[in-house]
Amino acid sequence: MMNSFDSGSLYLERFVTRLKVRIDFLNKKSNKFSIYRLSVFITGLVICIVGFLISKELGWILTMISIISFSIIVHFHNKLLEGIRRHAVYLGIKEEHLARMNLNWEKIPDPIVNTVSEDLTIEKDLDLLGKGSLQNLIDISVSYEGSMLLRKWLTDYKPVSEKIQYRQNIIKELSALVRFRDKFLLRSKLISKKFLECEKIVYWMEKSSGTEMPVWLLPVTSILILTYLTLFLLFIFNLMSPPFWLIFLLIYFFLYSTYVGKLKPVIEESIALGFHLKKLLFLFLYIEKTSTSKSRNLSNFLKSFQNNEISANFKLKKLQRVISALIIRENPIIRLILNILFPYDIFVGIRLLKSRKEIKENIKYWIEKLNELECFISLANFAFLFPDYVYPEIENTDKNRFNVQSMGHPLIKRSNKVCNDFSLDGKNEIIIITGSNMSGKSTFLRTIGINLCLSYAGAPVNASYFNTSLYDLFTCIKVNDSVIDGISYFYAEVKRLKQLLDEFGNKDSLQKFFLIDEIFKGTNNRERLTGSRA
């Protein structure tokens, strides 16, 4: 009988196959449309020429019919091409999911931040960060900040039971909403495959906070333009001989150059942020329109985006329209024409400052909630891809408890994975694990640690049963010496263990759960024995 993981993997493989078949069908249809376009264009051209040869009126009628026919074909072909693109992006998302299920690291995108600092001892010991790590397996964030928040969740060594339970409730509900998660990723990738950088938006809001335009500027410049255009027309039709219009034009351009010069940095930065703001807007639009009435915890969380009083959707739409208006004037000729006929830059610049001011108050809150949602989506997707993993039971009592059954390492392929039962029930209990070389002792220690990190993040763990108290995790597994700093392997390990001993004196911290691999292996056997006993 097929287990839940195998059936899920088989379903995903079939789904990917169906998408590929669909894309092939649409591509063949697109090729036919290309032939239709060319045929309609050539036929229309020939008919128009023949029509003009017969009569001028018939020629213009046939020309209009040809243009309308060609436009209809182009419209439907463009819709088809957009559909092909959507299917291709969706296929990429599903193929990534399948790669994560099978731990096919070559097809799993690199993490946003691929480096791990030497100071991050536990992160290195347990392979939490970097290429081929736990975060690399889980992370499907659409923003740099969302990915960094997920790193924080996975490396939260001061767990709080209420926070874990809150995350579990949302992740459980979200794991069942496959369509919601996939559409969220699809909308983001359709705009751009580049990661959203929310901090750039916040920085732009704060950096230009001192830029203000006088209230009188827009009405005065509008009156100046209306006046010089009127005088110019009178001058052209010889109704006024002196070129008074030049005086008003010069005054207008003096005011324009003075104040638009102050707006220029804000305008340029706004245009540069256009992609980020567009992506942010599209994600918020999707979130606000999504109904999750059956998912109580998730619905409560999404109300952060759906509150009409501080609607992210409404205010970001206004800002997006302003930036679209700014992009129009990027062409120097169009900019000149627009600003000669209307104080375009001043009008759009003032609207930009006003819109930015309205958003500035809430933008940090919206982004924080978006980043949280990204983490929930990543962990919910992880739960969906590994349906045989279980959510841990967190003990709120003072007892030190750690009881697991069939616990395995989530980064080891199933064909090579060995699962074990393990329990700790006594206070200040120390267990020494022995065995021959390459028997899996180090892997077992890492298995405990990485599953504890998963449980404290609110995610399901690789086990059939997982019950644990809250611990402050400590590891000493991958100790490295340093030739540059003059630190031997033995001294590096002693320094790390000294940190553990110092932590034991901290009465405010949680009970320690420490994992030490081959203690004092940097020295001889006698000293190892003495040090280990101590």
Side-chain angles (χ1 to χ4, degrees):
M1 187 175 177
M2 194 177 293
N3 60 38
S4 58
F5 174 82
D6 290 334
S7 60
S9 178
L10 183 61
Y11 168 78
L12 201 51
E13 286 174 2
R14 288 175 177 172
F15 196 92
V16 166
T17 303
R18 287 200 300 270
L19 278 174
K20 288 179 178 178
V21 171
R22 179 65 179 167
I23 290 170
D24 286 341
F25 170 76
L26 292 175
N27 279 323
K28 289 176 183 177
K29 200 172 179 180
S30 175
N31 292 335
K32 289 180 180 179
F33 259 99
S34 297
I35 296 171
Y36 297 155
R37 284 175 67 164
L38 182 61
S39 302
V40 169
F41 177 78
I42 294 171
T43 305
L45 186 63
V46 171
I47 289 173
C48 291
I49 293 171
V50 172
F52 276 109
L53 290 174
I54 296 171
S55 73
K56 191 176 181 181
E57 291 77 11
L58 181 62
W60 281 114
I61 291 170
L62 293 174
T63 300
M64 291 302 298
I65 292 171
S66 299
I67 291 171
I68 292 169
S69 302
F70 185 73
S71 299
I72 291 170
I73 291 289
V74 169
H75 170 73
F76 283 108
H77 192 197
N78 287 339
K79 286 190 73 174
L80 180 61
L81 291 172
E82 181 60 29
I84 293 171
R85 181 169 173 264
R86 287 177 67 87
H87 277 77
V89 173
Y90 194 32
L91 174 64
I93 291 170
K94 289 298 186 182
E95 284 181 331
E96 281 184 21
H97 290 348
L98 192 57
R100 293 177 197 279
M101 286 187 83
N102 297 322
L103 299 182
N104 187 350
W105 298 106
E106 291 181 1
K107 293 185 178 180
I108 299 175
D110 289 349
I112 299 177
V113 181
N114 205 3
T115 57
V116 184
S117 171
E118 289 297 319
D119 298 330
L120 301 177
T121 306
I122 299 179
E123 289 80 352
K124 288 190 303 176
D125 285 350
L126 302 180
D127 298 311
L128 298 180
L129 308 177
K131 179 65 176 173
S133 66
L134 182 64
Q135 185 183 14
N136 194 190
L137 177 64
I138 295 173
D139 194 4
I140 54 172
S141 303
V142 300
S143 74
Y144 177 86
E145 291 74 19
S147 182
M148 292 303 293
L149 182 61
L150 182 61
R151 286 168 67 106
K152 188 177 178 182
W153 283 19
L154 293 173
T155 56
D156 185 3
Y157 310 122
K158 306 292 182 184
V160 179
S161 58
E162 292 81 7
K163 188 187 293 184
I164 296 169
Q165 190 60 54
Y166 170 73
R167 290 176 184 171
Q168 277 190 12
N169 291 337
I170 294 179
I171 292 166
K172 284 177 183 177
E173 293 177 351
L174 199 49
S175 62
L177 302 176
V178 182
R179 190 181 180 86
F180 173 83
R181 298 196 313 272
D182 285 349
K183 274 198 168 184
F184 181 86
L185 296 175
L186 181 62
R187 287 198 168 224
S188 172
K189 290 178 182 290
L190 281 172
I191 296 168
S192 173
K193 291 186 178 180
K194 293 181 180 179
F195 287 105
L196 179 64
E197 295 183 57
C198 303
E199 279 302 314
K200 283 188 175 180
I201 297 172
V202 176
Y203 177 72
W204 168 71
M205 294 278 183
E206 295 175 348
K207 182 183 177 183
S208 311
S209 58
T211 308
E212 296 292 341
M213 291 292 107
V215 179
W216 54 263
L217 183 62
L218 183 60
V220 168
T221 51
S222 299
I223 292 168
L224 286 170
I225 287 178
L226 182 62
T227 305
Y228 89 69
L229 286 175
T230 304
L231 294 175
F232 177 73
L233 290 172
L234 292 173
F235 179 76
I236 289 293
F237 291 106
N238 295 319
L239 297 175
M240 181 181 290
S241 55
F244 290 126
W245 62 273
L246 280 172
I247 299 171
F248 291 93
L249 179 63
L250 290 172
I251 295 171
Y252 163 66
F253 270 105
F254 171 75
L255 291 174
Y256 173 87
S257 58
T258 301
Y259 288 100
V260 172
K262 295 178 181 179
L263 282 171
K264 189 177 179 181
V266 185
I267 291 172
E268 289 176 350
E269 288 172 4
S270 303
I271 293 169
L273 281 172
F275 141 69
H276 294 287
L277 288 167
K278 186 178 180 181
K279 195 161 191 170
L280 199 66
L281 170 63
F282 269 67
L283 293 175
F284 283 160
L285 277 170
Y286 175 63
I287 293 165
E288 287 197 41
K289 289 179 181 177
T290 301
S291 175
T292 56
S293 55
K294 294 181 181 179
S295 307
R296 183 171 55 86
N297 296 287
L298 180 61
S299 292
N300 290 335
F301 174 77
L302 293 182
K303 283 178 182 176
S304 310
F305 302 95
Q306 296 164 339
N307 187 333
N308 292 326
E309 293 179 5
I310 54 167
S311 173
N313 176 3
F314 176 73
K315 292 184 179 179
L316 280 170
K317 260 186 177 178
K318 286 175 64 178
L319 181 59
Q320 184 62 43
R321 284 195 294 267
V322 173
I323 290 176
S324 297
L326 287 172
I327 293 171
I328 293 172
R329 41 86 69 193
E330 280 297 277
N331 186 300
I333 297 171
I334 294 174
R335 186 192 313 169
L336 180 63
I337 295 169
L338 287 172
N339 284 285
I340 283 176
L341 300 174
F342 179 75
Y344 188 84
D345 284 0
I346 293 171
F347 172 73
V348 177
I350 290 172
R351 285 191 65 192
L352 173 66
L353 294 175
K354 183 181 177 182
S355 182
R356 189 198 61 193
K357 192 174 182 180
E358 290 174 351
I359 290 172
K360 182 182 176 183
E361 185 179 345
N362 300 308
I363 193 68
K364 279 188 176 180
Y365 174 76
W366 292 334
I367 286 175
E368 284 172 5
K369 290 300 174 184
L370 176 66
N371 297 154
E372 279 186 58
L373 180 61
E374 291 176 71
C375 293
F376 286 133
I377 286 174
S378 292
L379 293 170
N381 188 66
F382 174 74
F384 175 78
L385 296 179
F386 299 93
D388 53 339
Y389 288 10
V390 299
Y391 288 91
E393 298 175 5
I394 306 297
E395 289 288 341
N396 292 319
T397 60
D398 293 333
K399 295 179 180 178
N400 295 336
R401 185 169 297 172
F402 185 79
N403 188 5
V404 297
Q405 295 172 10
S406 298
M407 179 181 62
H409 199 295
L411 302 184
I412 297 177
K413 291 189 175 182
R414 289 170 182 263
S415 57
N416 301 325
K417 190 183 300 187
V418 176
C419 297
N420 294 279
D421 299 344
F422 184 68
S423 65
L424 278 171
D425 293 315
K427 192 174 182 179
N428 298 331
E429 186 174 0
I430 296 176
I431 293 179
I432 298 175
I433 301 170
T434 62
S436 60
N437 289 335
M438 299 180 65
S439 60
K441 301 185 298 297
S442 300
T443 302
F444 179 69
L445 293 179
R446 294 192 185 106
T447 300
I448 295 173
I450 200 169
N451 279 295
L452 271 174
C453 291
L454 272 173
S455 67
Y456 295 159
V461 295
N462 187 180
S464 62
Y465 175 77
F466 198 99
N467 178 272
T468 182
S469 299
L470 297 178
Y471 295 100
D472 185 4
L473 187 60
F474 181 95
T475 64
C476 184
I477 297 174
K478 294 181 181 179
V479 180
N480 295 318
D481 55 2
S482 175
V483 176
I484 297 173
D485 297 328
I487 297 176
S488 68
Y489 187 98
F490 176 70
Y491 183 55
E493 188 176 11
V494 168
K495 282 182 66 179
R496 181 67 181 146
L497 294 176
K498 176 65 165 58
Q499 293 175 16
L500 173 61
L501 294 174
D502 291 341
E503 282 292 319
F504 280 137
N506 185 0
K507 295 180 180 180
D508 296 329
S509 67
L510 297 167
Q511 289 292 318
K512 287 285 178 293
F513 196 120
F514 58 90
L515 305 167
I516 304 172
D517 188 29
E518 295 191 45
I519 190 168
F520 297 124
K521 58 187 172 185
T523 186
N524 59 63
N525 290 338
R526 183 181 294 277
E527 290 178 346
R528 285 183 70 184
L529 180 61
T530 303
S532 300
R533 282 173 174 168

